[in-house]
Amino acid sequence: MNNSSLRQNVHNLFAFYRFLVIIQKKGCGGVRLRTAITRKKGNGPMQSHRIALSAYQADDSYIGRVQKLVRDVVIPYQYQILNDALPDAEKSHAVENIRLAGRKLRGEAVPPESFYGMVFQDSDVAKWIEAAACTLTAAPDPELERRIDALVALIGQSQHPDGYLNSYFTVKAPERRWTNLRDAHELYCAGHMMEAAVAYFEATGKRELLDIMCRNADCLCRQFLERDRRGCPGHPEVELALMRLWRVTGIARYRELARHFIDVRGQEPNCFAEERKKDPWPVREGSAAEYDPAYSQSHQPVREQRDAVGHAVRAVYLFTGMADVARETGDEALLSSCRALWESITKRRMYVTGGIGSTVQGEAFTEDFDLPNDTAYAETCASIGLIFFAKAMLENEHRGEYGDVMEQAFYNTVLAGMQLDGRRFFYVNPLECVPGVSGVAATQRHVLPERPGWYACACCPPNAARLISSLGAYAYSEGEGVLFADLYAGGAVRTAQGVTLRCETGFPNDGLVRYTMQNSGKFTFAVRIPAWSRETALYVNGRPAELQAVCRDGYAYLKRDWQPGDVVELRLDMTPRKLYASPRIAADSGRICIRRGAQIYCAEEADNGPVLPLLLDDGAQPFAEPFDPELLGGVVPVRTAGFRLRDGVGPYTDERPKAEPATIRLIPYAAWANRGPGQMRVWLPAAFPGLP
Amino acid sequence: MNNSSLRQNVHNLFAFYRFLVIIQKKGCGGVRLRTAITRKKGNGPMQSHRIALSAYQADDSYIGRVQKLVRDVVIPYQYQILNDALPDAEKSHAVENIRLAGRKLRGEAVPPESFYGMVFQDSDVAKWIEAAACTLTAAPDPELERRIDALVALIGQSQHPDGYLNSYFTVKAPERRWTNLRDAHELYCAGHMMEAAVAYFEATGKRELLDIMCRNADCLCRQFLERDRRGCPGHPEVELALMRLWRVTGIARYRELARHFIDVRGQEPNCFAEERKKDPWPVREGSAAEYDPAYSQSHQPVREQRDAVGHAVRAVYLFTGMADVARETGDEALLSSCRALWESITKRRMYVTGGIGSTVQGEAFTEDFDLPNDTAYAETCASIGLIFFAKAMLENEHRGEYGDVMEQAFYNTVLAGMQLDGRRFFYVNPLECVPGVSGVAATQRHVLPERPGWYACACCPPNAARLISSLGAYAYSEGEGVLFADLYAGGAVRTAQGVTLRCETGFPNDGLVRYTMQNSGKFTFAVRIPAWSRETALYVNGRPAELQAVCRDGYAYLKRDWQPGDVVELRLDMTPRKLYASPRIAADSGRICIRRGAQIYCAEEADNGPVLPLLLDDGAQPFAEPFDPELLGGVVPVRTAGFRLRDGVGPYTDERPKAEPATIRLIPYAAWANRGPGQMRVWLPAAFPGLP
């Protein structure tokens, strides 16, 4: 198959869709459109597929600026880290591991102990390649391509003749290949490298890494579809990667293997328990101890799972693969599980910042409504995975809530994961920080008040880079005759169906989103109406959208014979709002947080002095300050009224602490911890006057 | 030395005291006496010593009823447990271990694996003997004495010819004696058995166990004053026990050894690190891993320690020994450390319930003001140890704050540690409980919503039993010419100085405390005026105490030529009060708790339905319901006004949850979890109207 037919294949496959029979009765959640919009009768939400990486070109609005930061700073910075060229950062050794594996395969003497780092160190390189590849779609960069090509050559040299690829096992323990699927991340690393291969091929048309990873996928197929039909990945990831590889290559056995991994997961006897019986070698000391199969979502067959449990990143990577397979195979039972798991996460186990994972123990979900702010885990990777899951669900059934959560996780937790200068990163994203306790107390050692430059376990930084640089593929999607705008991303889009349009927006700082058609064509333009926007206005060529517009399931569907210069304008409600948590969430009861548009706000010590003594006045209306281009890379601060409690004598007193009126200034959570360590709170205790 | 001269010795030693030169400028903290009381000029707080166990006889008031429960239920119940006679409870094997050790010493074949339980399983027996011995001072019980004697015989049979005594090492690893002081609890077990010996001797005059433990103490002296002068206990306890043994026997080397253990602690090179180098055998798998010397307060010499760190029980046991030694040796540097550590605990690291230990990780203190309610550890034993520490400080310098904390820890955490029926026990005492999360979520597995019958690690239940049954010795103390009433304990007291009086009180349910002199004598009667009592009245023979009374450092000193029938009446302010935490305590900001007298209250689901949706109205005044003898063993419930938030749709909403006025009913925290599992909160979110 040559390159162009391969690409065609992708779109042919995407063209397949089906209407779901479930009638969705909900409209645009919480939205009151100013113009009357007739609800379109008919079937439920439609399927869609993502646009090609190259179909979106960012302009210099918010997304474009973040992508530029990734391209100009993050990618080169991380390249130095991966090559151990930054002496002050945590040692990576990731590229060197791959080089050593190649040397060993060429017969050179490479002692096992020369491997350094995590068992999944390879995946850092894979994610970096994917991130770098995605940036190439925005701007050619021969030097960067040369670097990637050099890495691809190293990777190729480290591949075994049968397609096997993993520097840890090649250098350290070749005889132990596939004997610790539970902990050794072989399939996880393979998956990430497949994703990198797909991205690099899509960005450049270069096949070398794609061919390497097809050989690797073939090796996996032989191993897991023929030799060991019980094995499955301890850390899901390869499922969604195989689906991507299938979409690009059209090779059906990759999809078959993805589905197989999903089918065998959680079946009795548990494959991880079985392999431990054969040879219980530990990846790290102590790691062979007690193991809860729920940690890796292998406690029951996936079609029976209804609660999101265990390691949060494993969970959302798995659920993404499940949703992908459900879409492509029409597996209703699987989709039904995905829906239940989505509900479990987003209705009961997700922070208001789109963070998931309530505990450091197992980096995991805990129980419904257990969402502590100070000991939160809320790993950056987990929110990235949640975006994958949301996108995969969107592709199954286009409903605004998936887009809403995608946006919530992106504009809050994912962006908070990166310093504004692109050189430091959070792994853990707490909703409350008290220097002196956070990062220090035994229960909060994982909660750092400032972003480190790198991590021994460095999964998050390159993961954020690849998500950001591929954001266009999350911002838009296509259904039959429909172009969906799922996120508000300024720039130009050109779809496979021939639609081109330009989006101009100051989002998330500003609520005006203007789409201008660049060519003519009869199609439906569907734009997400976020549930958070209470008063939303939609204009087509300056006129309020009325009969033209159909709003259902969180999207406004505008069907029209579009002409060049036609303008669709969305005016979102950017009034700062007080948010209240369900009283079931113990950590937030009696507290309020502030949201403006897609952004959750927080109070920081830099603006307020110590934050712990602040009470937010529920009787006051928060208001937005003017956009400040100098502050934190350009934000709209919010002010509201409250009180500051004075500290009394001793820890407990029966005299009410003196309170003085205070103005509380809040900034977007994504921008916290950019001005030195200080107290930070998302949920502030409320002063509730005049209840009820 | 015969018995009576031994006893005399005890009191001779107690008679030694000295005035401290530190002028205490504080009066009775927070107390406004209705009657004018002249502040006595002069020296600082005086030293004191505890009354003999037999000097206090409880009546049928609160303390007496709890002591009766211990005598009638807890002691027999725990005896059955320790003898494995209760099939439904967690297996103890503690008595059997001692029996096996004896058999082995007699030459019978006893395989090492026949030992069962914790390395400190012996201490459960020791604490039980101590508890049982203390009950004998209240009421003779030949059957109980027979049981104790039989245990003493077993213990004697398990003692090595050189005085060494420990069933774990005797049965399991005799060659490893003294090679793992860090983890193996040999000195801890020895200390507890010394305490048991002292108590049984004091209660009955029987010397057998005392002689066994003197031989054991002699063995320790040879080992640690001669052979290994660097070693010290991984779990402090023997220090305070040796001081007790010294007080009873007058044998100076026991005091010397106590002081020595305190002196060598934390000196470089760290003795625990050194012994690990020699033979790093682990007591439990994994227990030989990374070790923070702060865990056992061996990170620096004790005289340099200023922050309470590490394992909370180890800490307060150590500090008690330090305070004991400081008192008996006039060691000002040591006392100064004790004061700093007291401040560290009580001003910055203690829950409002008198609980200490903010984290399950290491059962430990964390950082200042880190006092999470839901993941609290607040071990029952730690509050018992805090009472020991408070009492030892009181004996150094009689200040009301020590008595206040003693009372706070006892009436809240210690009593909460025991089911009202005396058959079930809490180890961990959280300030918030949410069934479904508490005891289940990874971070809260240790936080059980209901008391189990016994524990694999069963330190707390017999510890509570021995404290309760010896409470008289904490309730009263003597200084030269002074009888101190430190707690309000109904019953009769007869001191070594010949004072006899009777106390009648409904405390803690009622605030009236009446002392009636039973004989004549010129002495000072000093009664604690608790800081929590805002409006306190004191009457002598019905007349408001005026010039007769001197209040300083939290005590009212009444000096008089007392006649039989003279009555001192204390009327404490039992108005329920709202308590506010320092804004430095993140977990409690914006929250309120209710205290009435010495008791901290909580809201339970049994009275209120779900507790999480409740807001307490700061504008309302809580009021006491009438005493209800039928409720929870007899309590005074408190009611106050508040609001109940209705649960909305979804986890987060910008619509303020509907609130309806609600009456919130609260019960003493000590009585929580006696009506099945349900939500419980000590600190409730507040509705603050009309701030500031």
Side-chain angles (χ1 to χ4, degrees):
Chain A
M1 208 181 319
N2 64 27
N3 285 355
S4 67
S5 72
L6 246 179
R7 284 184 194 175
Q8 193 52 47
N9 220 330
V10 177
H11 294 300
N12 289 347
L13 285 160
F14 284 164
F16 161 78
Y17 77 96
R18 67 197 158 77
F19 286 105
L20 295 168
V21 291
I22 299 122
I23 306 302
Q24 300 297 338
K25 291 187 180 165
K26 278 174 69 185
C28 299
V31 174
R32 293 190 291 263
L33 284 174
R34 273 196 198 127
T35 54
I37 287 177
T38 308
R39 183 174 299 276
K40 182 176 159 187
K41 307 284 184 222
N43 293 310
M46 66 190 304
Q47 285 194 337
S48 65
H49 57 82
R50 67 184 64 198
I51 60 167
L53 262 182
S54 56
Y56 168 74
Q57 287 284 338
D59 59 15
D60 62 354
S61 62
Y62 193 90
I63 296 289
R65 290 200 308 275
V66 183
Q67 288 195 336
K68 188 172 186 308
L69 178 72
V70 167
R71 194 167 59 237
D72 294 348
V73 178
V74 178
I75 299 285
Y77 174 83
Q78 296 190 351
Y79 182 80
Q80 289 187 284
I81 300 255
L82 295 175
N83 285 280
D84 306 301
L86 273 187
D88 292 344
E90 178 85 36
K91 181 177 170 183
S92 165
H93 208 257
V95 171
E96 187 61 19
N97 288 335
I98 295 173
R99 185 176 292 117
L100 289 167
R103 285 198 187 141
K104 188 165 174 188
L105 285 190
R106 289 198 299 276
E108 293 181 34
V110 175
E113 61 276 14
S114 57
F115 180 92
Y116 174 88
M118 296 285 172
V119 69
F120 47 86
Q121 210 79 346
D122 285 357
S123 64
D124 296 349
V125 177
K127 286 188 223 168
W128 182 86
I129 293 176
E130 185 178 354
C134 295
T135 68
L136 290 173
T137 62
D141 183 340
E143 171 58 21
L144 181 60
E145 235 178 287
R146 196 194 55 74
R147 287 178 166 180
I148 300 174
D149 289 339
L151 282 176
V152 169
L154 280 183
I155 292 163
Q157 288 160 22
S158 78
Q159 187 168 38
H160 294 238
D162 68 349
Y164 184 82
L165 182 76
N166 186 295
S167 78
Y168 176 92
F169 282 90
T170 302
V171 171
K172 219 167 166 165
E175 74 288 358
R176 281 188 156 147
R177 185 201 279 198
W178 309 134
T179 59
N180 188 346
L181 296 177
R182 194 187 78 177
D183 304 324
H185 289 69
E186 275 160 301
L187 291 163
Y188 170 88
C189 288
H192 273 300
M193 202 60 86
M194 288 175 201
E195 291 205 85
V198 169
Y200 196 47
F201 169 72
E202 287 190 334
T204 63
K206 291 187 179 174
R207 302 196 45 113
E208 191 178 345
L209 188 55
L210 192 67
D211 289 340
I212 290 169
M213 293 319 295
C214 284
R215 285 197 294 274
N216 181 249
D218 293 338
C219 169
L220 301 194
C221 286
R222 287 192 300 276
Q223 175 65 20
F224 294 101
L225 290 176
E226 294 166 21
R227 288 184 212 124
D228 170 20
R229 285 191 59 88
R230 283 194 176 163
C232 73
H235 193 316
E237 142 68 22
V238 75
E239 301 87 341
L240 71 90
L242 284 163
M243 293 302 286
R244 283 185 77 176
L245 196 61
W246 162 67
R247 284 188 188 124
V248 168
T249 64
I251 298 170
R253 62 180 174 275
Y254 302 159
R255 183 181 66 173
E256 190 190 334
L257 181 57
R259 185 183 185 169
H260 168 77
F261 278 145
I262 282 164
D263 286 345
V264 298
R265 190 167 209 87
Q267 302 289 354
E268 285 297 329
N270 186 291
C271 66
F272 304 135
E274 294 297 301
E275 75 178 8
R276 296 286 84 195
K277 283 185 202 160
K278 281 188 205 156
D279 177 14
W281 67 276
V283 164
R284 285 191 296 183
E285 222 172 308
S287 71
E290 277 177 48
Y291 187 85
D292 179 359
Y295 171 74
S296 56
Q297 300 77 41
S298 62
H299 55 302
Q300 53 184 181
V302 297
R303 287 173 186 75
E304 294 170 20
Q305 295 186 23
R306 289 292 178 273
D307 289 316
V309 298
H311 187 265
V313 177
R314 279 170 168 77
V316 283
Y317 281 19
L318 170 65
F319 305 158
T320 304
M322 285 163 60
D324 281 348
V325 167
R327 181 187 185 284
E328 303 301 348
T329 62
D331 187 330
E332 268 300 322
L334 197 53
L335 184 57
S336 159
S337 266
C338 290
R339 286 198 199 99
L341 293 162
W342 175 264
E343 293 279 308
S344 169
I345 293 175
T346 60
K347 301 292 188 291
R348 301 189 297 276
R349 299 186 176 198
M350 185 178 76
Y351 288 95
V352 71
T353 51
I356 52 174
S358 296
T359 178
V360 62
Q361 292 178 47
E363 310 182 306
F365 291 105
T366 57
E367 302 295 324
D368 284 350
F369 306 109
D370 177 35
L371 293 157
N373 294 302
D374 53 352
T375 60
Y377 204 66
E379 182 180 342
T380 309
C381 278
S383 287
I384 293 169
L386 180 58
I387 291 173
F388 298 161
F389 183 28
K391 179 69 177 171
M393 289 305 287
L394 213 46
E395 290 173 3
N396 270 286
E397 46 187 19
H398 232 91
R399 296 163 55 97
E401 66 170 293
Y402 301 126
D404 287 359
V405 168
M406 202 157 73
E407 183 181 77
Q408 186 176 10
F410 180 74
Y411 282 106
N412 298 293
T413 299
V414 174
L415 289 180
M418 189 165 74
Q419 193 90 348
L420 290 173
D421 68 4
R423 287 186 171 86
R424 304 174 73 81
F425 305 91
F426 272 138
Y427 192 112
V428 167
N429 298 282
L431 282 77
E432 175 168 305
C433 178
V434 180
V437 176
S438 306
V440 182
T443 40
Q444 300 192 29
R445 291 229 176 89
H446 61 293
V447 183
L448 305 183
E450 293 191 282
R451 296 173 187 84
W454 201 249
Y455 293 85
C457 172
C459 50
C460 297
N463 216 4
R466 72 181 180 127
L467 176 74
I468 291 168
S469 56
S470 63
L471 202 77
Y474 296 85
Y476 295 92
S477 46
E478 292 178 89
E480 196 191 56
V482 185
L483 171 61
F484 292 98
D486 301 318
L487 300 174
Y488 313 112
V493 185
R494 176 188 303 268
T495 74
Q497 294 170 75
V499 177
T500 60
L501 60 75
R502 173 168 296 281
C503 171
E504 294 157 286
T505 183
F507 195 83
N509 287 313
D510 181 81
L512 182 66
V513 190
R514 182 185 292 117
Y515 298 93
T516 309
M517 299 300 158
Q518 304 294 307
N519 61 352
S520 60
K522 199 170 176 181
F523 69 95
T524 301
F525 180 54
V527 61
R528 183 173 57 90
I529 308 295
W532 51 258
S533 180
R534 284 188 164 226
E535 302 285 336
T536 306
L538 188 62
Y539 298 84
V540 176
N541 293 334
R543 289 185 310 174
E546 291 182 299
L547 292 174
Q548 310 121 299
V550 175
C551 185
R552 70 168 195 276
D553 295 323
Y555 278 81
Y557 289 81
L558 304 168
K559 187 171 183 177
R560 195 177 162 111
D561 193 353
W562 299 98
Q563 299 303 318
D566 279 353
V567 171
V568 173
E569 196 174 286
L570 185 65
R571 295 184 194 167
L572 298 167
D573 182 354
M574 301 301 278
T575 315
R577 306 273 179 195
K578 293 177 296 230
L579 286 193
Y580 308 84
S582 160
R584 291 163 184 262
I585 303 176
D588 301 335
S589 66
R591 296 197 188 190
I592 289 175
C593 90
I594 301 291
R595 185 194 63 210
R596 179 178 175 270
Q599 293 184 315
I600 298 298
Y601 277 64
C602 67
E604 275 203 305
E605 190 160 341
D607 299 304
N608 299 283
V611 169
L612 291 185
L614 295 177
L615 301 181
L616 196 148
D617 184 355
D618 186 50
Q621 193 53 48
F623 64 94
E625 289 183 26
F627 174 71
D628 183 346
E630 302 302 314
L631 181 65
L632 294 165
V635 297
V636 176
V638 167
R639 279 182 194 268
T640 194
F643 307 94
R644 173 176 297 281
L645 301 177
R646 273 197 239 148
D647 206 352
V649 176
Y652 311 108
T653 170
D654 57 7
E655 286 186 40
R656 184 209 270 179
K658 298 253 185 310
E660 48 205 36
T663 299
I664 301 175
R665 193 188 203 209
L666 304 110
I667 54 121
Y669 172 75
W672 86 280
N674 274 283
R675 292 173 291 178
Q679 293 182 2
M680 181 278 290
R681 255 187 175 166
V682 169
W683 289 98
L684 284 94
F688 291 110
L691 274 175
Chain B
M1 209 181 317
N2 64 25
N3 284 355
S4 66
S5 72
L6 245 177
R7 283 182 195 179
Q8 191 53 46
N9 220 329
V10 177
H11 293 301
N12 289 347
L13 285 162
F14 283 166
F16 161 80
Y17 79 97
R18 67 195 158 79
F19 284 105
L20 295 170
V21 289
I22 300 121
I23 306 300
Q24 300 295 337
K25 291 187 179 164
K26 280 176 65 184
C28 298
V31 174
R32 293 188 292 264
L33 286 174
R34 272 195 199 130
T35 54
I37 287 179
T38 308
R39 183 175 300 273
K40 183 176 160 185
K41 308 281 182 219
N43 293 312
M46 67 190 304
Q47 285 194 337
S48 65
H49 58 83
R50 68 184 63 197
I51 60 168
L53 262 181
S54 56
Y56 168 74
Q57 287 284 336
D59 60 13
D60 62 354
S61 62
Y62 192 90
I63 297 289
R65 289 202 306 275
V66 182
Q67 288 194 334
K68 188 172 187 305
L69 178 71
V70 167
R71 195 167 60 238
D72 295 348
V73 178
V74 179
I75 298 286
Y77 174 81
Q78 296 191 350
Y79 183 80
Q80 288 188 286
I81 300 253
L82 295 174
N83 285 279
D84 306 301
L86 274 187
D88 292 343
E90 178 83 38
K91 182 177 169 183
S92 164
H93 208 259
V95 171
E96 186 61 18
N97 287 335
I98 295 173
R99 186 177 289 119
L100 289 168
R103 284 198 187 140
K104 187 165 174 188
L105 286 190
R106 288 197 301 275
E108 293 181 34
V110 175
E113 64 275 13
S114 57
F115 180 93
Y116 175 88
M118 295 285 171
V119 68
F120 48 83
Q121 209 80 346
D122 285 358
S123 64
D124 295 349
V125 177
K127 286 187 223 168
W128 182 86
I129 293 176
E130 185 178 353
C134 295
T135 68
L136 290 173
T137 62
D141 183 340
E143 172 59 18
L144 181 60
E145 237 177 285
R146 196 194 56 71
R147 286 179 166 180
I148 299 174
D149 289 339
L151 282 176
V152 169
L154 280 184
I155 292 162
Q157 289 161 19
S158 78
Q159 187 169 37
H160 293 239
D162 68 350
Y164 183 83
L165 183 76
N166 185 295
S167 78
Y168 175 91
F169 281 90
T170 302
V171 172
K172 217 164 168 170
E175 73 289 357
R176 283 190 153 146
R177 186 202 279 199
W178 309 132
T179 60
N180 188 346
L181 296 177
R182 194 187 80 178
D183 304 324
H185 288 70
E186 275 162 299
L187 290 163
Y188 170 88
C189 288
H192 272 300
M193 201 60 86
M194 288 175 201
E195 290 205 87
V198 169
Y200 195 47
F201 169 72
E202 287 189 336
T204 62
K206 291 187 180 174
R207 303 196 44 114
E208 190 178 346
L209 188 55
L210 191 69
D211 289 340
I212 290 170
M213 292 319 295
C214 284
R215 284 196 295 275
N216 181 250
D218 293 339
C219 170
L220 301 194
C221 286
R222 286 191 301 276
Q223 174 66 19
F224 294 100
L225 291 177
E226 294 166 22
R227 285 183 214 125
D228 169 20
R229 285 190 61 86
R230 284 194 174 161
C232 73
H235 193 316
E237 142 67 24
V238 75
E239 301 88 342
L240 72 89
L242 284 162
M243 293 301 287
R244 283 185 76 177
L245 196 62
W246 163 66
R247 284 187 186 126
V248 167
T249 63
I251 298 170
R253 64 179 173 276
Y254 301 160
R255 184 182 65 173
E256 191 190 335
L257 182 58
R259 187 182 183 168
H260 168 76
F261 279 145
I262 282 164
D263 286 345
V264 297
R265 190 167 210 89
Q267 302 288 355
E268 285 298 327
N270 186 292
C271 67
F272 304 136
E274 295 296 300
E275 74 178 9
R276 296 286 83 193
K277 284 184 202 163
K278 281 188 208 158
D279 177 14
W281 67 275
V283 164
R284 285 191 296 183
E285 222 171 306
S287 69
E290 277 177 52
Y291 187 85
D292 178 359
Y295 171 74
S296 56
Q297 299 78 40
S298 61
H299 56 301
Q300 53 183 180
V302 298
R303 286 172 187 77
E304 294 170 20
Q305 295 186 22
R306 289 291 178 275
D307 288 316
V309 298
H311 187 264
V313 176
R314 280 170 167 77
V316 285
Y317 280 19
L318 170 65
F319 304 157
T320 304
M322 286 163 61
D324 281 349
V325 168
R327 181 187 186 284
E328 304 301 349
T329 61
D331 187 330
E332 266 301 321
L334 197 54
L335 184 57
S336 160
S337 266
C338 290
R339 286 197 197 99
L341 293 162
W342 175 265
E343 293 280 308
S344 169
I345 294 174
T346 61
K347 301 292 189 291
R348 302 188 296 275
R349 299 185 176 198
M350 184 178 78
Y351 288 95
V352 73
T353 51
I356 51 173
S358 296
T359 177
V360 62
Q361 292 178 47
E363 309 182 309
F365 292 105
T366 58
E367 302 295 324
D368 285 350
F369 307 110
D370 177 36
L371 293 156
N373 295 303
D374 52 353
T375 59
Y377 204 68
E379 182 181 341
T380 309
C381 278
S383 287
I384 292 169
L386 180 59
I387 292 173
F388 298 162
F389 184 29
K391 179 69 177 171
M393 290 305 286
L394 212 48
E395 289 173 3
N396 271 286
E397 44 186 22
H398 232 90
R399 295 163 53 96
E401 66 170 292
Y402 301 125
D404 287 0
V405 169
M406 201 156 75
E407 182 180 79
Q408 187 176 8
F410 179 74
Y411 282 107
N412 298 293
T413 300
V414 175
L415 289 180
M418 189 166 75
Q419 193 90 347
L420 291 173
D421 68 5
R423 287 188 170 85
R424 303 174 76 81
F425 305 91
F426 272 138
Y427 192 112
V428 168
N429 298 281
L431 282 77
E432 176 169 306
C433 178
V434 180
V437 176
S438 304
V440 182
T443 42
Q444 300 194 28
R445 291 231 174 88
H446 60 293
V447 183
L448 305 182
E450 294 192 283
R451 296 173 185 83
W454 201 249
Y455 292 86
C457 171
C459 50
C460 297
N463 217 2
R466 72 183 181 126
L467 177 74
I468 292 167
S469 56
S470 63
L471 202 78
Y474 296 84
Y476 296 93
S477 47
E478 291 178 88
E480 197 191 56
V482 184
L483 172 61
F484 290 98
D486 301 316
L487 299 174
Y488 313 112
V493 184
R494 176 189 304 269
T495 76
Q497 294 170 74
V499 177
T500 59
L501 61 72
R502 174 168 294 280
C503 171
E504 295 158 283
T505 184
F507 194 83
N509 287 313
D510 181 81
L512 181 65
V513 190
R514 183 185 291 118
Y515 299 94
T516 308
M517 301 299 160
Q518 305 294 305
N519 60 353
S520 60
K522 201 170 175 177
F523 69 97
T524 300
F525 180 56
V527 61
R528 182 172 58 90
I529 309 295
W532 51 256
S533 179
R534 285 188 162 225
E535 303 283 341
T536 307
L538 188 64
Y539 299 85
V540 177
N541 293 335
R543 287 184 313 176
E546 288 180 302
L547 294 174
Q548 312 119 303
V550 177
C551 183
R552 70 168 195 276
D553 295 324
Y555 279 81
Y557 288 81
L558 304 168
K559 186 173 185 178
R560 197 178 160 109
D561 193 353
W562 298 99
Q563 299 304 318
D566 278 353
V567 171
V568 173
E569 198 173 284
L570 184 65
R571 294 184 194 168
L572 298 168
D573 182 354
M574 301 300 279
T575 317
R577 306 271 180 197
K578 291 175 296 226
L579 285 193
Y580 307 84
S582 161
R584 291 163 185 263
I585 303 175
D588 300 336
S589 65
R591 298 198 188 189
I592 290 175
C593 91
I594 301 291
R595 185 193 62 208
R596 178 177 176 270
Q599 294 183 316
I600 297 298
Y601 277 64
C602 67
E604 275 203 307
E605 189 160 342
D607 298 304
N608 298 284
V611 167
L612 291 185
L614 294 177
L615 300 181
L616 197 146
D617 184 355
D618 186 51
Q621 192 53 49
F623 64 94
E625 289 183 26
F627 173 71
D628 182 346
E630 301 303 313
L631 181 64
L632 295 165
V635 296
V636 176
V638 166
R639 278 182 195 267
T640 195
F643 306 95
R644 171 176 298 281
L645 301 176
R646 272 197 238 149
D647 205 349
V649 176
Y652 312 109
T653 171
D654 57 7
E655 285 186 40
R656 182 208 270 178
K658 297 254 185 311
E660 49 205 35
T663 299
I664 302 174
R665 192 190 204 205
L666 304 110
I667 54 122
Y669 173 75
W672 87 280
N674 274 282
R675 294 173 289 179
Q679 292 182 2
M680 181 278 290
R681 254 185 175 168
V682 169
W683 290 99
L684 283 95
F688 291 109
L691 275 175

